[in-house]
Amino acid sequence: MQHLRIKSLQEYQETYQKSIEQPEQFWDEVANNFVWRKPWDKTLEWDFAKPEVKWFKGGKLNITENCLDRHLEERADKTAIIFEPNNPNEAAQHITYKELHSRVCQFSNVLKANNVSKGDRVCIYMPMVPELAIATLACARIGAVHSVVFAGFSAKALASRINDSACKVLLTADGGFRGDKITPLKSIADEALQECPSIEKTIILNRTNLEVTLTENQVWWHEELEKVNDVFEAVEMDAEDMLFILYTSGSTGKPKGMVHTCGGYMVYTAYSFLNVFQYQENDVYWCTADIGWITGHSYIVYGPLLNGATTVLFEGVPSYPDFGRFWQVCEKHKVNQFYTAPTAIRALAKHPTSLVEKYDLSNLKTLGTVGEPINEEAWHWYDEHVGKMNCPIVDTWWQTETGGIMMSSLAGVTKDKPTFATLPLPGIQPILMGTEGIEIMEQVAKGRLAIKFPWPSIARTIYGDHERYKQVYFSTFKNMYFPGDGALRDEDGDYRITGRVDDVIIVSGHNLGTAPIENAINEHEQVVESAIVGFPHDIKGNALYAYVILYNDVLPSEFLKIEINQLISDKIGPIAKCDKIQFVSGLPKTRSGKIMRRILRKIAINELDNLGDVSTLLNPEVVEEIIKCRI
Ligand code: WTA
């Protein structure tokens, strides 16, 4: 793979040019660096109007042969995963490629013994431990579709994800360590399982020694392992067979199960990992995300392992036992590439820099960020205190839907620029669209972002709802993919992502749709209606502001606010709690009854002088009242 690494600006420019002029030939050449059981017949078939995208049609492969088997010749004893536990006093584990291969094969046998076969959906609700990565890979090896649900989600959120794709088996743990707390995963899962008829078996890892009782159809992970050996031939998959489903929030209704397929996802995550981070053979790479999010899928598990890299898997949180933990781990494992989120950087920057300076960070070569726009201050703090002005920062823009990094500088190869994602990766064709739905041709401009050509790791559909996939991503602009983000382009052609242009709010790097949170609030028996908007927050990037209408005879109280947040926590998870809740007598609405969020947003950020014309509202008088009582 190393020869696919772009090493100079000129090489980037030439490669990019080629990738646009001859995309099929370009991706053919990249894809030729993998192990295919049978080569593909056709590189690309696409129609954004349908929408339909197929890469490497007819090709047969198993992604785990590319992540594991093929490394055994040269890298059997190389460390694949460094596991750093939550508790700094618990020993780290170094898992070699050979051992990882063996453990994945063994767990594939466990899945098989529990009646999982190709095409079945398996839900994984686990803490950040090696078994999570192993289970994910074992699903891929057996041809089952993994659906990893972040272990911070509530029972209700877990249940709705299990049911949406009718998962057959659930993999979970007794509990998960996070800082000084233990999340009781098994009991949350049990609550979810009350309403999940499709689950036939639950396999439970003992991680925390919590006392749990197994009921019918629940088995211990370690006991299952004892029954099987570690020989398992990977199941042959079609390039376009489903590899996984991963849920992401939408601006309306239930979460969207984004479907990724085997061939294209493999090619793109491997290629982008290598080039963005400029990973070299003996580097140690660390991405602090959770495998429950796309960043963890693509850039903790698949991208690094496809490259035969050493990837750090961290169980804990940046604040435990103190706010120096990230840097202590960087020193301990001599991390070369470090990839985290702006919200984490902002949180760490609030603490004395002595917590960074205490540790030897001289091995760092590349820093990365992902998840939301990074503000200038956080960028410079990262650059100065962590990178010592000596490490390029890759600001990587992408989405659950895109599978891999779409725009970013390539570390040390193309120029980085504070707060700019900069340039598209080879094969990616971004453009800016104006309000009229026409491409903006001027170089320096601001607009909505669109992508006009497919790339190998684009999500192929929303599980069970292709029509929604079409509506959300392909109906805003004709024959283009619309990611829902705005951007500006400067005189160098560099892009800066300005944020969401729909009703998705990014809180601490997590995508939250307003609709599901409003639905949760509205379920409170004393609530008539509610509206959520985002407002800037020092650490979280955005926080949530809820405007809530109560029934006439109900008195507003602090207690009600707590109840509302508890409800949100139960329905979605603590990440979706509101920082501010204001009780109002009405919400500003258009004559057709649509809530004018634009006005509510302005009130939340105290930008009161340009609310626009409110006289056309159905109920203009309510605006005055809301302003008067704003929090
Ligand atoms: C936002 C995370 C600015 C964006 C990989 C996108 C970013 C959404 C960046 C996807 C970035 C992600 N700069 N904004 N570098 N990276 N975003 O699906 O709004 O969790 O649409 O995928 O995060 O979030 P998701």
Side-chain angles (χ1 to χ4, degrees):
M1 294 286 287
Q2 276 291 325
H3 70 278
L4 288 174
R5 194 158 59 82
I6 295 168
K7 297 191 190 65
S8 68
L9 179 59
Q10 191 192 345
E11 200 187 331
Y12 163 74
Q13 286 160 342
E14 287 164 6
T15 309
Y16 186 73
Q17 209 51 36
K18 175 168 182 196
S19 76
I20 302 211
E21 283 162 10
Q22 301 168 303
E24 299 186 28
Q25 199 183 329
F26 172 76
W27 287 114
D28 265 347
E29 282 169 23
V30 175
N32 271 326
N33 293 277
F34 296 81
V35 177
W36 297 81
R37 296 251 184 112
K38 173 181 167 292
W40 52 100
D41 309 314
K42 196 161 177 214
T43 309
L44 171 64
E45 220 173 74
W46 70 292
D47 179 354
F48 275 174
K50 269 186 178 168
E52 183 181 86
V53 179
K54 289 187 173 144
W55 282 93
F56 312 115
K57 198 175 162 189
K60 303 281 183 198
L61 76 156
N62 187 291
I63 194 169
T64 69
E65 285 187 333
N66 286 275
C67 289
L68 303 169
D69 304 56
R70 74 158 158 167
H71 299 313
L72 295 183
E73 223 166 272
E74 283 175 22
R75 301 189 181 91
D77 297 319
K78 178 176 174 177
T79 301
I81 294 178
I82 299 177
F83 172 57
E84 173 66 24
N86 176 65
N87 179 349
N89 300 322
E90 185 181 329
Q93 294 173 27
H94 288 72
I95 302 170
T96 63
Y97 272 93
K98 192 164 77 195
E99 184 188 346
L100 186 61
H101 176 264
S102 147
R103 291 176 68 179
V104 168
C105 288
Q106 198 183 5
F107 201 71
S108 300
N109 278 322
V110 168
L111 290 174
K112 189 174 165 197
N114 282 280
N115 208 18
V116 177
S117 53
K118 184 171 172 175
D120 288 341
R121 274 83 56 213
V122 174
C123 179
I124 308 183
Y125 182 67
M126 288 184 63
M128 278 285 286
V129 290
E131 286 81 357
L132 167 55
I134 290 166
T136 306
L137 291 164
C139 287
R141 193 162 184 89
I142 194 166
V145 178
H146 56 77
S147 167
V148 184
V149 175
F150 174 59
F153 276 118
S154 69
K156 288 259 181 279
L158 173 62
S160 72
R161 285 159 177 77
I162 290 175
N163 290 336
D164 183 72
S165 48
C167 294
K168 189 172 183 179
V169 165
L170 171 66
L171 309 177
T172 189
D174 56 343
F177 294 117
R178 272 182 79 76
D180 55 8
K181 296 196 194 71
I182 293 180
T183 316
L185 296 174
K186 163 77 163 63
S187 69
I188 301 173
D190 278 345
E191 194 187 328
L193 287 176
Q194 308 249 319
E195 41 188 294
C196 297
S198 61
I199 295 288
E200 294 173 8
K201 220 17 138 14
T202 303
I203 306 177
I204 298 133
L205 179 79
N206 176 13
R207 172 60 185 141
T208 56
N209 280 327
L210 272 187
E211 207 166 301
V212 296
T213 18
L214 303 199
T215 55
E216 211 191 336
N217 301 324
Q218 300 191 331
V219 292
W220 281 115
W221 195 291
H222 57 272
E223 287 177 6
E224 293 305 291
L225 283 176
E226 279 164 18
K227 300 177 193 162
V228 296
N229 67 22
D230 68 352
V231 181
F232 191 98
E233 164 123 21
V235 170
E236 185 169 292
M237 304 293 283
D238 193 274
E240 281 298 327
D241 277 341
M242 252 188 268
L243 174 63
F244 66 85
I245 301 169
L246 185 60
Y247 287 87
T248 187
S249 310
S251 50
T252 54
K254 58 178 188 173
K256 300 169 289 191
M258 304 313 306
V259 171
H260 284 283
T261 56
C262 298
Y265 179 82
M266 168 178 80
V267 170
Y268 195 79
T269 52
Y271 182 76
S272 53
F273 171 78
L274 178 68
N275 278 296
V276 170
F277 299 103
Q278 290 288 305
Y279 183 86
Q280 283 171 284
E281 182 62 40
N282 292 312
D283 288 347
V284 174
Y285 161 90
W286 180 19
C287 165
T288 70
D290 192 290
I291 295 177
W293 308 114
I294 191 69
T295 308
H297 281 60
S298 303
Y299 300 111
I300 295 178
V301 181
Y302 289 110
L305 296 179
L306 286 163
N307 280 279
T310 300
T311 176
V312 176
L313 198 159
F314 175 48
E315 183 181 29
V317 291
S319 54
Y320 180 82
D322 63 37
F323 280 89
R325 185 70 191 275
F326 273 1
W327 322 124
Q328 179 251 331
V329 175
C330 281
E331 176 185 281
K332 178 175 175 189
H333 298 299
K334 301 191 167 53
V335 170
N336 302 109
Q337 286 91 10
F338 178 74
Y339 189 30
T340 195
T343 185
I345 299 170
R346 288 191 296 264
L348 296 171
K350 291 247 174 273
H351 295 271
T353 50
S354 56
L355 282 168
V356 193
E357 279 144 19
K358 217 164 117 184
Y359 299 101
D360 175 8
L361 300 180
S362 61
N363 287 296
L364 286 176
K365 297 197 278 193
T366 300
L367 301 178
T369 88
V370 59
E372 60 183 311
I374 181 165
N375 49 308
E376 189 111 23
E377 206 184 337
W379 196 99
H380 287 294
W381 186 89
Y382 201 26
D383 186 34
E384 268 170 46
H385 298 289
V386 182
K388 320 289 180 201
M389 313 281 276
N390 210 11
C391 297
I393 297 180
V394 293
D395 179 350
T396 63
W397 173 77
W398 59 296
Q399 309 179 293
T400 305
E401 295 85 337
T402 69
I405 296 168
M406 301 289 279
M407 278 200 239
S408 170
S409 53
L410 311 183
V413 171
T414 65
K415 203 166 44 64
D416 60 21
K417 190 184 277 185
T419 76
F420 281 75
T422 72
L423 297 173
L425 262 68
I428 307 303
Q429 303 189 33
I431 54 174
L432 288 180
M433 299 294 287
T435 38
E436 253 67 286
I438 296 167
E439 179 175 354
I440 306 174
M441 302 310 289
E442 290 86 16
Q443 164 101 326
V444 178
K446 200 171 169 182
R448 285 179 292 173
L449 202 57
I451 315 285
K452 65 178 183 189
F453 196 84
W455 61 99
S457 64
I458 183 175
R460 303 301 196 259
T461 190
I462 291 175
Y463 191 85
D465 200 348
H466 198 65
E467 186 52 35
R468 187 174 180 199
Y469 175 69
K470 180 175 176 173
Q471 277 305 321
V472 176
Y473 304 106
F474 298 93
S475 60
T476 310
F477 306 120
K478 198 162 181 259
N479 290 327
M480 279 177 216
Y481 170 79
F482 175 54
D485 283 318
L488 64 80
R489 187 167 53 210
D490 71 1
E491 55 284 356
D492 299 325
D494 284 327
Y495 287 87
R496 168 196 220 160
I497 311 299
T498 48
R500 303 290 309 188
V501 294
D502 56 9
D503 286 333
V504 171
I505 304 170
I506 303 186
V507 178
S508 301
H510 305 317
N511 281 10
L512 299 173
T514 50
I517 307 173
E518 289 163 5
N519 291 345
I521 298 179
N522 298 349
E523 279 189 32
H524 193 289
E525 52 183 20
Q526 290 166 327
V527 169
V528 180
E529 199 184 1
S530 60
I532 301 270
V533 297
F535 68 97
H537 184 283
D538 262 11
I539 292 175
K540 301 180 187 179
N542 295 293
L544 302 179
Y545 194 126
Y547 298 90
V548 178
I549 308 177
L550 299 173
Y551 280 104
N552 271 339
D553 55 346
V554 180
L555 280 182
S557 68
E558 286 307 308
F559 181 68
L560 257 180
K561 291 184 183 177
I562 294 169
E563 277 192 344
I564 286 173
N565 265 332
Q566 189 53 47
L567 198 56
I568 296 173
S569 209
D570 292 346
K571 298 271 170 203
I572 300 160
I575 48 176
K577 282 190 191 171
C578 297
D579 275 35
K580 296 186 180 180
I581 298 178
Q582 179 180 351
F583 296 113
V584 294
S585 68
L587 294 166
K589 289 194 176 164
T590 62
R591 293 194 180 266
S592 60
K594 209 169 165 269
I595 299 173
M596 289 292 284
R597 285 169 209 281
R598 187 177 48 81
I599 293 177
L600 293 174
R601 240 176 255 134
K602 293 219 159 130
I603 298 176
I605 60 175
N606 207 10
E607 232 179 57
L608 304 175
D609 33 0
N610 61 345
L611 286 183
D613 184 11
V614 297
S615 65
T616 57
L617 292 176
L618 195 63
N619 49 353
E621 70 291 345
V622 83
V623 175
E624 205 48 41
E625 176 216 299
I626 297 179
I627 293 175
K628 220 165 73 208
C629 304
R630 70 177 284 280
I631 303 171

